[in-house]
Amino acid sequence: MEGGPGCGFSGLSPRGERSCPLQVSSGGCRLSKMRRFLRPGHDPVRERLKRDLFQFNKTVEHGFPHQPSALGYSPSLRVLAIGTRSGAIKLYGAPGVEFMGLHRENNAVTQIHLLPGQCQLVTLLDDNSLHLWSLKVKGGASELQEDESFTLRGPPGAAPSATQITVVLPHSSCELLYLGTESGNVFVVQLPAFRALEDRTISSDAVLQRLPEEARHRRVFEMVEALQEHPRDPNQILIGYSRGLVVIWDLQGSRVLYHFLSSQQLENIWWQRDGRLLVSCHSDGSYCQWPVSSDAQQPEPLCSLVPYGPFPCKAITKILWLTTRQGLPFTIFQGGMPRASYGDRHCISVIHDGQQTAFDFTSRVIDFTVLTEADPAAAFDDPYALVVLAEEELVVIDLQTAGWPPVQLPYLASLHCSAITCSHHVSNIPLKLWERIIAAGSQQNAHFSTMEWPIDGGTSLTPAPPQRDVLLTGHEDGTVRFWDASGVCLRLLYKLSTVRVFLTDTDPNENLSAQGEDEWPPLRKVGSFDPYSDDPRLGIQKIFLCKYSGYLAVAGTAGQVLVLELNDEAAEQAVEQVEADLLQDQEGYRWKGHERLAARSGPVRFEPGFQPFVLVQCQPPAVVTSLALHSEWRLLAFGTSHGFGLFDHQQRRQVFVKCTLHPSDQLALEGPLSRVKSLKKSLRQSFRRMRRSRVSSRKRRPAGPPGEVQEGSAKTERPGLQNMELAPVQRKIEARSAEDSFTGFVRTLYFADTYLRDKNLPASPRRENLGASPGCPAPPDSHAKGQTPKHGFSAGSRHCPSLWAGTNGGTIYAFSLHVPPAERRMDEPVRAEQAKEIQLMHRAPVVGILVLDGHSVPLPEPLEVAHDLSKSPDMQGSHQLLVVSEEQFKVFTLPKVSAKLKLKLTALEGSRVRRVSVAHFGSRRAEDYGEHHLAVLTNLGDIQVVSLPLLKPQVRYSCIRREDVSGIASCIFTKYGQGFYLISPSEFERFSLSTKWLVEPRCLVDSAETKNHRPGNGAGPKKAPSRARNSGTQSDGEEKQPGLVMERALLSDERVLKEIQSTLEGDRGSLNWHSRRAAVGCSLSNGGAE
């Protein structure tokens, strides 16, 4: 299909066939007459087509909520609620059921209470305000909405503590809230209007007057620590005061039925299901059992125990006493560990039938709950799962299986169990590879319980995902995790560890959770969060997975590059080591950074899954900044701040290395873990750059050997740039000096089978200086005899495999490759020859390279044509080279590198390209119609779609706040117009630019539903937020979207931004300045997303 004037798009189906979903009617003549009244470049047909192709939505947050602060659970709805310090609340049910809301105040949520049997919940914030939320059905799906808010007010002149709420008790009638305060008073509020019932207030004075004489003289009234409703009688409530007094209050008679006095400060209390026993826990690490009987007005405790005594212990802050049909109860409590030896541990202890285990968590425990029989009239609790909310993860323990194993999470994954350092997305995974990855991951999950996910409330209305997608995350501890990113729920499939390849201080076979049977306390490590790395050099920086061959390339912080292949069986093998010296032709350079990792020399046993067979070690061992893998040619390309190299992983030999260091790149020799840049040096370099920016481009030092070439280029470029200044949204691009640091930093690598040189051209490489104006003539040295005509393609041209590399200084290197045919692949070596060296005049960092075939379609991925998943590229017409720098897009003809088109993205506010990727956008109206475009992210947080091959901007959306540098650095695009970026160290925000590939989360929760107490879902993990996520509008004036609520809450906290930035920028010791520049760059794969 042809677009309107200046539209510039590639109207192709996913296989590359051209199609046309629209027909021109007889009214076309009338439309052509009206076009003269339209502004230039405006085409209504194209505008309608763009609405069918592009739509911006933020769909769902993947991962674990940042800084959780409260936990709630509804036994009737079987829904879990989590509140955060940023004022967000999230509800989770069955996989695929999720709701999110945000308080307007952005204050921390301190308590969450779900009303019994209702789709309502009450939250308490740290500003002492109460909020009522409801799940309401709209359009066939439930939505979470805030109904009312309320702040408890005291009488005039009263102290703030008089109404400071400490405990909230929703009454079983769902009509009243009982609010315990610091003053000892219990206020009553009516729902849903939050109307205070002053005549029902239970004051501390009223309780004191109704106590026996012997109890009145004790100072027992402090704050209210506990409120409980009688399990069988709704007219009785229990009030526990911090000084140790506990009373059972009759609501109808306004009198004290029973009172209990403890000698220790009260922390919490539990009322047994039959109402005959109370269990209180105290600040000295003890708990007491109290009988509720009318025989004695002031009973003594049946027993008082210090579980981890006799030495001083920390307080037990919460306790549950749960009955079972077998007769022996479960005692579950938080804290109580010996203060001197284990006071820093975060533990929850479970005692039952002679077995006692203290579950040890690596982060602070926020709260816990136990899933029991939901029917209030049941005779026994029969607990079956322990749910623990820690500060960095959620852990569920199976209480019905011997040994109490953990339950695998279908959502709420702890993405940051080790800090995320990079990510990589692969779309449309073949079924065979998918099954093999799942099979390898299932063998790693043998320690998990077989229990189905117990939190299974609600119903997911989201349709099954149309394809299988995988999100790979690299971590600081040297692991790579494979996540199922097909739907709206992120689920861990498989974990790969590269630690076994290297010699580290920790034995890979060591079991940190193992402990002797006789050791006391009986601690057991649980959870996956581990913030500590054995060696920061293990950190993963780049990942590249070929979904057709099963080859995986992983690169790290210390210059290590591993090539792995998928094996369904465990194997013991030695990893072949090859060293790539990137400074072999340089003298006088000395590496000042960290040392390389020491690799194991002998055979290493690897479990089923991805197993490394070769290790390429870069020297110097700097951070690997770019990576590319071509499985069809069996070639691997890698780049650092010193240069790049090519490795043949089939013959296990190095093809070539190329040093890209400039004499001024001294900082590139300083390692990420040891370099400390002085303030004086930074200021000196800043002033030098300021002085250079005032110098005319004609007076700059020439970049190429012939001085007259640079001079001529500058003269012809000058009028074009002056004309560009007339554009209202663009500014003049100033050329950067070749003396700037890190110019040799390799930002992107790209394999392509294309036309690299003419048959008649000499073999020596040409250096081409390309100006910033498309109308300027080429430099004199590019007009050699025998070159191709102006269109850049001739019958003498021939295509060949090639490798392209782009650097931080605007230099592009092109190497022609000779790959032997399959029958001689192991006998003949792969040969490489440098064919071109292109220098961009403005010297902006190159962040993306792409080759378009004769139909202006991006080249397919390796092996994609062989698997009949893509049409063969057009090798008859002229190919085009697209170079994306931080400041502009430029299209050149091949094999002659002459400028054809250009788009400057640099705006007045200083926009820079940070990420670019090719994406296919399908039409929501025509099933077989789609277009290939560029998805572009800038340093301002804007996302733009740019057409191919005419480089016409299509749409622009505001996605990430410009202040969120870490979120911009972590952003990745998918092949079908979706994307991910970190909104906190533990959460990915997912967004979509496509109308067709929109993951629309929908779910329904019904308060009338009844389910058995045993879990049973069997559905694939998905999740769906309740709030409608409207499409974004273009430019800065876009409408406020509900989908941004979580992100806005998190990004208002500077600590969140610093924590993400420390992960991606090296404050944890895994990255340096080089990797920061690389993280915001892009490596365009052959037609796919990174």
Side-chain angles (χ1 to χ4, degrees), residues 471-776:
L471 176 67
L472 293 84
T473 53
H475 298 265
E476 190 181 41
D477 62 353
T479 59
V480 178
R481 286 170 168 82
F482 291 65
W483 305 91
D484 178 5
S486 309
V488 291
C489 186
L490 205 64
R491 178 173 60 100
L492 181 64
L493 298 177
Y494 165 73
K495 184 180 77 170
L496 164 69
S497 177
T498 63
V499 178
R500 290 179 178 269
V501 181
F502 305 101
L503 294 170
T504 60
D505 296 335
T506 302
D507 184 0
N509 297 316
E510 181 181 356
N511 186 4
L512 297 178
S513 62
Q515 188 174 9
E517 296 181 358
D518 299 332
E519 293 191 24
W520 189 261
L523 296 173
R524 187 204 298 178
K525 286 280 187 183
V526 288
S528 59
F529 179 72
D530 183 10
Y532 306 107
S533 175
D534 298 330
D535 193 329
R537 296 174 296 174
L538 291 169
I540 305 298
Q541 301 300 328
K542 291 293 176 181
I543 307 171
F544 200 107
L545 172 66
C546 176
K547 61 185 178 182
Y548 302 112
S549 64
Y551 283 110
L552 173 68
V554 174
T557 302
Q560 71 272 25
V561 183
L562 286 169
V563 185
L564 308 94
E565 60 182 345
L566 191 56
N567 191 349
D568 299 329
E569 303 293 334
E572 186 170 353
Q573 62 188 27
V575 179
E576 187 170 340
Q577 304 174 33
V578 178
E579 184 173 304
D581 184 8
L582 298 176
L583 297 180
Q584 57 183 2
D585 297 331
Q586 303 292 327
E587 297 181 359
Y589 287 98
R590 184 173 61 88
W591 172 248
K592 305 175 185 177
H594 54 263
E595 296 181 355
R596 57 183 288 182
L597 283 164
R600 298 180 185 270
S601 56
V604 180
R605 181 170 178 81
F606 298 102
E607 59 185 10
F610 285 94
Q611 299 172 352
F613 61 89
V614 66
L615 166 65
V616 180
Q617 178 61 56
C618 299
Q619 287 289 11
V623 174
V624 177
T625 59
S626 54
L627 189 67
L629 179 69
H630 200 291
S631 298
E632 188 173 358
W633 302 336
R634 305 294 176 91
L635 296 177
L636 170 74
F638 51 89
T640 71
S641 56
H642 307 115
F644 62 96
L646 182 65
F647 181 79
D648 180 357
H649 66 80
Q650 183 169 356
Q651 294 187 6
R652 316 287 173 88
R653 60 178 294 272
Q654 179 178 293
V655 180
F656 77 89
V657 292
K658 171 71 174 178
C659 181
T660 57
L661 271 180
H662 189 274
S664 64
D665 284 351
Q666 293 296 330
L667 289 180
L669 294 171
E670 300 181 5
L673 308 180
S674 63
R675 178 175 60 85
V676 179
K677 189 176 180 182
S678 66
L679 178 61
K680 183 184 296 184
K681 191 172 185 179
S682 301
L683 291 174
R684 187 187 306 119
Q685 291 180 347
S686 299
F687 282 118
R688 285 177 179 173
R689 281 194 292 267
M690 291 172 61
R691 284 197 299 268
R692 287 198 297 264
S693 66
R694 300 190 186 101
V695 180
S696 172
S697 60
R698 292 178 298 175
K699 297 181 181 180
R700 289 196 176 92
R701 203 166 77 181
E708 64 276 12
V709 174
Q710 187 77 15
E711 184 87 13
S713 295
K715 289 180 180 179
T716 55
E717 180 184 83
R718 188 178 180 89
L721 289 178
Q722 289 176 348
N723 295 333
M724 288 297 176
E725 291 176 356
L726 301 177
V729 296
Q730 297 182 341
R731 67 169 177 83
K732 178 180 177 180
I733 298 178
E734 296 182 352
R736 309 184 188 192
S737 171
E739 297 181 359
D740 286 343
S741 298
F742 304 106
T743 56
F745 185 102
V746 180
R747 294 285 291 268
T748 181
L749 292 165
Y750 178 72
F751 285 108
D753 186 357
T754 186
Y755 298 94
L756 191 56
R757 67 155 52 102
D758 256 358
K759 186 176 182 180
N760 300 324
L761 285 181
S764 59
R766 288 192 303 121
R767 179 180 179 90
E768 309 198 24
N769 296 276
L770 301 175
S773 175
C776 66

Side-chain angles (χ1 to χ4, degrees), residues 78 147 627 693 1055:
R78 303 179 64 80
D147 296 334
L627 189 67
S693 66
R1055 293 174 297 178

